[in-house]
Amino acid sequence: MSFTTRTSVLRQAPGRYETVTVELDEPRRNEVTVKMVAAGLCHSDDHAATGDIPVGTYPFAGGHEGAGVISAVGPDTPDFEVGDHVVFSFLPACGRCEFCARGLSNLCDLGATLLVGSRWNDPTSFRMHLDGVPVGQQCGISTFSEYTTASVASVIKIDKSLPLKQAALLSCGVPTGWGAAVNSARVRPGDTVIVAGIGGIGANALQGAVHAGASHIIAVDPVDFKLAKAKEFGATHFYSTIEEATEFARSVTNGQGADATIVTIGVVDGEHVAQALASIRKAGTVVLTGLGDISAAGAPILLGDLTLMQKRLQGSLFGEANPRRDIPNLARMYQVGQLKLDELITREYTLDQVAEAYDDMHAGTNIRGVVVFD
Ligand SMILES: NC(=O)c1ccc[n+]([C@@H]2O[C@H](COP(=O)([O-])OP(=O)(O)OC[C@H]3O[C@@H](n4cnc5c(N)ncnc54)[C@H](O)[C@@H]3O)[C@@H](O)[C@H]2O)c1
Ligand SMILES: [Zn+2]
Ligand SMILES: [Zn+2]
């Protein structure tokens, strides 16, 4: 059984998001349908539009940050009820695969088909169709939709007292940035930290660095508005290039360099990675969170510097956070005033304005745009 709903899709890449009416399946076993309340506009959905991250199915329904209310629960699907408030996790966590069992549920094996957008166990089975043609769901959840049906592996129940608009950012941007500092960079009290790229992810990396006790938190972004916002999230120093930030970091560390540099730039290339590696001290850490052309190989890094200075280059997915533990934890931190979410939302959009919202992202006018549904 299916019903119709409106969703924002890409028909090709490069392409622009457009709203269409699709057929959406009622939930099957271990699935729920969610009436969306809000969806965050992360840069990764723009990578799908530009083709930097090619997806496996067109049309492709976008959106991987979002929160809403359960409107239907599949048969034999325990733990969920109609009316539950939920946040999606952009990464599914099955709890049973080897990586979930290792405590690395951000690397759950179900993630293998995220960019196909089909049901996990069957690449030919789709929950959405447009004029009879299968529609891929971004990360299996496609949150730029009035209603969406998804696997329970992607759904986290949250306290009903939490505002859903703010909670939507817990699907990706907040844990990804916060965890990049706390889990991946392992920031320690007194550290000097550079965060390069102050968007939805970088703003949360700043919050993580504050939380972990860094003394010097250096924000880098070429856009002045971003640096002004960085101050609200706890940055102490502000530069428009990584090189300038490096010079400052050395000046406060006896010439050594930053303890950690976190790269949260919107479109990352190898040059950024090389600049970040040159910015850190002996045995310091570069965390690479940002993405660019995912088929691009190579960064002009000095191999001897990497080895002889014992530097660490750490990729980071979802801030190495664990969706089922960290999404509720971060929600609690917001509720007691330890984490800023309200300040992350710089503009609200309707579902029909997704393409315009990404134009604004390119123009550098938002920290996070959010689609708010009726
Ligand atoms: N690893 C993960 O799990 C994960 C999760 C979500 C997003 N991402 C990626 O993280 C990146 C950031 O996402 P976002 O939503 O915050 O994007 P965003 O567009 O909101 O922010 C990116 C920022 O980078 C700045 N920037 C551009 N060039 C720069 C440079 N040379 N130096 C410093 N800053 C520069 C831009 O001005 C912008 O403020 C994207 O590539 C996104 O795809 C990764
Ligand atoms: Zn994201
Ligand atoms: Zn798993």
mmCIF file of all heavy atoms in Angstrom, residues 42 44 64-65 90 172-173 201 368, ligand 2:
data_model
loop_
_atom_site.group_PDB
_atom_site.id
_atom_site.type_symbol
_atom_site.label_atom_id
_atom_site.label_comp_id
_atom_site.label_asym_id
_atom_site.label_seq_id
_atom_site.Cartn_x
_atom_site.Cartn_y
_atom_site.Cartn_z
ATOM 1 N N CYS A 42 22.175 20.311 4.956
ATOM 2 C CA CYS A 42 23.616 20.053 5.096
ATOM 3 C C CYS A 42 24.287 20.157 3.724
ATOM 4 O O CYS A 42 23.667 19.919 2.690
ATOM 5 C CB CYS A 42 23.807 18.651 5.658
ATOM 6 S SG CYS A 42 25.513 18.089 5.760
ATOM 7 N N SER A 44 26.257 18.150 2.393
ATOM 8 C CA SER A 44 26.367 16.863 1.691
ATOM 9 C C SER A 44 25.251 16.688 0.658
ATOM 10 O O SER A 44 25.457 16.060 -0.384
ATOM 11 C CB SER A 44 26.371 15.703 2.683
ATOM 12 O OG SER A 44 27.473 15.838 3.562
ATOM 13 N N HIS A 64 19.034 14.559 4.691
ATOM 14 C CA HIS A 64 19.445 13.531 5.656
ATOM 15 C C HIS A 64 19.539 14.085 7.075
ATOM 16 O O HIS A 64 20.122 13.456 7.946
ATOM 17 C CB HIS A 64 20.770 12.896 5.223
ATOM 18 C CG HIS A 64 21.921 13.856 5.245
ATOM 19 N ND1 HIS A 64 22.149 14.744 4.221
ATOM 20 C CD2 HIS A 64 22.857 14.104 6.175
ATOM 21 C CE1 HIS A 64 23.203 15.482 4.525
ATOM 22 N NE2 HIS A 64 23.653 15.123 5.711
ATOM 23 N N GLU A 65 18.977 15.282 7.273
ATOM 24 C CA GLU A 65 18.814 15.789 8.646
ATOM 25 C C GLU A 65 17.325 16.019 8.813
ATOM 26 O O GLU A 65 16.693 16.628 7.936
ATOM 27 C CB GLU A 65 19.492 17.161 8.812
ATOM 28 C CG GLU A 65 20.934 17.104 9.202
ATOM 29 C CD GLU A 65 21.520 18.481 9.528
ATOM 30 O OE1 GLU A 65 20.812 19.507 9.432
ATOM 31 O OE2 GLU A 65 22.706 18.514 9.877
ATOM 32 N N PHE A 90 21.546 10.100 10.136
ATOM 33 C CA PHE A 90 21.835 9.935 8.696
ATOM 34 C C PHE A 90 22.516 8.608 8.437
ATOM 35 O O PHE A 90 22.486 8.082 7.323
ATOM 36 C CB PHE A 90 22.582 11.146 8.137
ATOM 37 C CG PHE A 90 24.086 11.128 8.164
ATOM 38 C CD1 PHE A 90 24.818 10.483 7.173
ATOM 39 C CD2 PHE A 90 24.792 11.811 9.149
ATOM 40 C CE1 PHE A 90 26.204 10.505 7.173
ATOM 41 C CE2 PHE A 90 26.183 11.842 9.152
ATOM 42 C CZ PHE A 90 26.886 11.181 8.167
ATOM 43 N N CYS A 172 22.776 15.115 11.852
ATOM 44 C CA CYS A 172 24.075 15.115 11.183
ATOM 45 C C CYS A 172 24.978 16.215 11.713
ATOM 46 O O CYS A 172 26.003 15.951 12.327
ATOM 47 C CB CYS A 172 23.908 15.237 9.663
ATOM 48 S SG CYS A 172 25.470 15.441 8.799
ATOM 49 N N GLY A 173 24.603 17.476 11.484
ATOM 50 C CA GLY A 173 25.535 18.591 11.701
ATOM 51 C C GLY A 173 26.114 18.675 13.097
ATOM 52 O O GLY A 173 27.322 18.869 13.261
ATOM 53 N N ILE A 201 28.656 22.332 10.216
ATOM 54 C CA ILE A 201 29.548 21.362 10.866
ATOM 55 C C ILE A 201 30.609 22.091 11.690
ATOM 56 O O ILE A 201 30.827 21.781 12.864
ATOM 57 C CB ILE A 201 30.245 20.454 9.824
ATOM 58 C CG1 ILE A 201 29.251 19.893 8.796
ATOM 59 C CG2 ILE A 201 31.022 19.342 10.505
ATOM 60 C CD1 ILE A 201 28.214 18.964 9.293
ATOM 61 N N ARG A 368 23.157 27.309 9.362
ATOM 62 C CA ARG A 368 22.322 26.206 8.891
ATOM 63 C C ARG A 368 20.966 26.751 8.465
ATOM 64 O O ARG A 368 20.332 27.466 9.235
ATOM 65 C CB ARG A 368 22.123 25.213 10.035
ATOM 66 C CG ARG A 368 21.952 23.769 9.731
ATOM 67 C CD ARG A 368 22.614 23.145 8.563
ATOM 68 N NE ARG A 368 23.137 21.818 8.829
ATOM 69 C CZ ARG A 368 24.223 21.334 8.248
ATOM 70 N NH1 ARG A 368 24.924 22.053 7.390
ATOM 71 N NH2 ARG A 368 24.633 20.114 8.524
HETATM 72 ZN ZN ZN B 2 25.128 16.051 6.696
#
